[in-house]
Amino acid sequence: MSVQLDSLIALALAAGREINAVREAGFEAQTKLDGSLVTIADQRAEAIIEQGLRELAPNVPMIGEEAVAEGRIPECGDRWFCVDPLDGTKGFAKGGDEFTVNIALIENGLPTLGVVYAPASGEMFAGEPNAARTARCDPHTAEIVKPFAPMVANTAATRPWRIIASENSGRDVKTAGFIGALEGVPAHASSSIKFCRIAEGAADLYPRFGEVSEWDAAAGHAILNAAGGGIMRLDGAPLIYGDRAGGFLIRGFVAYANDAAREAALAALT
């Protein structure tokens, strides 16, 4: 069964509406067994996405952050959905705006379709093979108010390198050393917005040292691929998804805008 990117966009918008509704009504954060935070917004958004994907592609399993936390982990196979219903829960719980809905389709270990939607700002990013695009939505209604336009990552060997990283982990010693080795200009952002800043040409590199879950990266990875960039592991190997035995964890990566940025990153990592 063919999965259309527009269908994933519609699901992300529906989840975003629910997240904003919970935010306006008020909520309390809880702590999961792994120590991470969860809110009713995470749970309701994932329920909307899971039901929508089941109707859209009933034979394609979904690996979702909250489903995994509940112990619902289907066999992936060659084709599956990778979902983070609310990426950036910690910032969301504190009242911040840089949280996203992430939906990706994984095929043979690689993300081929991806949607990242930021409900608070209305920013929408989407990608399919060789075509990335961005739009602006009304945060209150999730209706598209600025139509989709093509999006392309920077193709030049920019100097100094513009390096974006997480608000918290992006300030650690390894990240600081990476930025220093490249004599880069640092910037900070939260959630999957970092991938999208590279995809839209506003940054060149995003290093991440330490573990993250596959659902934190898959949608942004698909969009960045579509915009002409990519992601590699810290040793330069391709990032392949579906590591069930490893708990769907990624042990570090660098996202890059172009080949020159990739080579510069590899030099800084050695």
Side-chain angles (χ1 to χ4, degrees), residues 155-197:
T155 58
T158 304
R159 297 291 190 281
W161 295 110
R162 300 166 299 168
I163 303 173
I164 194 164
S166 299
E167 290 284 358
N168 295 319
S169 62
R171 302 179 190 275
D172 62 20
V173 173
K174 288 185 177 180
T175 305
F178 180 86
I179 295 171
L182 290 171
E183 299 180 346
V185 175
H188 296 277
S190 299
S191 73
S192 293
I193 289 293
K194 294 182 288 295
F195 297 106
C196 301
R197 296 293 177 242

Side-chain angles (χ1 to χ4, degrees), residues 235-260:
D235 62 359
L239 177 52
I240 306 299
Y241 292 79
D243 185 7
R244 183 188 182 94
F248 299 99
L249 288 177
I250 303 167
R251 292 168 175 81
F253 64 80
V254 176
Y256 53 88
N258 52 54
D259 288 341

Side-chain angles (χ1 to χ4, degrees), residues 55-67:
E55 295 172 1
L56 178 66
N59 296 320
V60 180
M62 183 195 87
I63 299 296
E65 179 176 13
E66 304 314 321

Side-chain angles (χ1 to χ4, degrees), residues 152-156 161-164 178 182 194-201 203-208 220-221 223-239 253-266 269:
V152 180
N154 178 37
T155 58
W161 295 110
R162 300 166 299 168
I163 303 173
I164 194 164
F178 180 86
L182 290 171
K194 294 182 288 295
F195 297 106
C196 301
R197 296 293 177 242
I198 300 177
E200 69 182 1
D204 303 301
L205 289 162
Y206 161 31
R208 181 61 187 255
H221 191 170
I223 293 166
L224 186 50
N225 280 352
I231 302 179
M232 63 180 173
R233 295 186 181 274
L234 297 178
D235 62 359
L239 177 52
F253 64 80
V254 176
Y256 53 88
N258 52 54
D259 288 341
R262 180 181 186 277
E263 294 305 313
L266 284 173
L269 290 169

Side-chain angles (χ1 to χ4, degrees), residues 52-162:
L53 293 177
R54 188 179 297 119
E55 295 172 1
L56 178 66
N59 296 320
V60 180
M62 183 195 87
I63 299 296
E65 179 176 13
E66 304 314 321
V68 170
E70 296 170 1
R72 296 189 290 114
I73 311 174
E75 292 295 334
C76 297
D78 294 333
R79 200 163 182 252
W80 50 284
F81 293 107
C82 191
V83 172
D84 190 342
L86 204 168
D87 183 22
T89 300
K90 185 182 295 184
F92 172 76
K94 292 179 179 178
D97 288 341
E98 284 194 326
F99 54 89
T100 61
V101 178
N102 301 346
I103 307 175
L105 175 66
I106 309 297
E107 297 182 283
N108 299 312
L110 300 175
T112 55
L113 303 181
V115 177
V116 171
Y117 176 52
S121 67
E123 290 181 283
M124 166 64 76
F125 304 91
E128 56 191 334
N130 302 313
R133 46 189 168 129
T134 182
R136 179 76 67 166
C137 304
D138 183 322
H140 301 289
T141 65
E143 298 294 329
I144 295 176
V145 294
K146 183 178 180 182
F148 277 101
M151 184 170 58
V152 180
N154 178 37
T155 58
T158 304
R159 297 291 190 281
W161 295 110
R162 300 166 299 168

Side-chain angles (χ1 to χ4, degrees), residues 15-28 39-41 44 86 92 95-97 99 117 119-121 138-142:
R17 280 191 290 269
E18 185 64 24
I19 290 169
N20 279 341
V22 170
R23 193 182 201 196
E24 291 173 6
F27 62 91
E28 292 184 0
T39 71
I40 192 171
R44 288 183 179 177
L86 204 168
F92 172 76
D97 288 341
F99 54 89
Y117 176 52
S121 67
D138 183 322
H140 301 289
T141 65

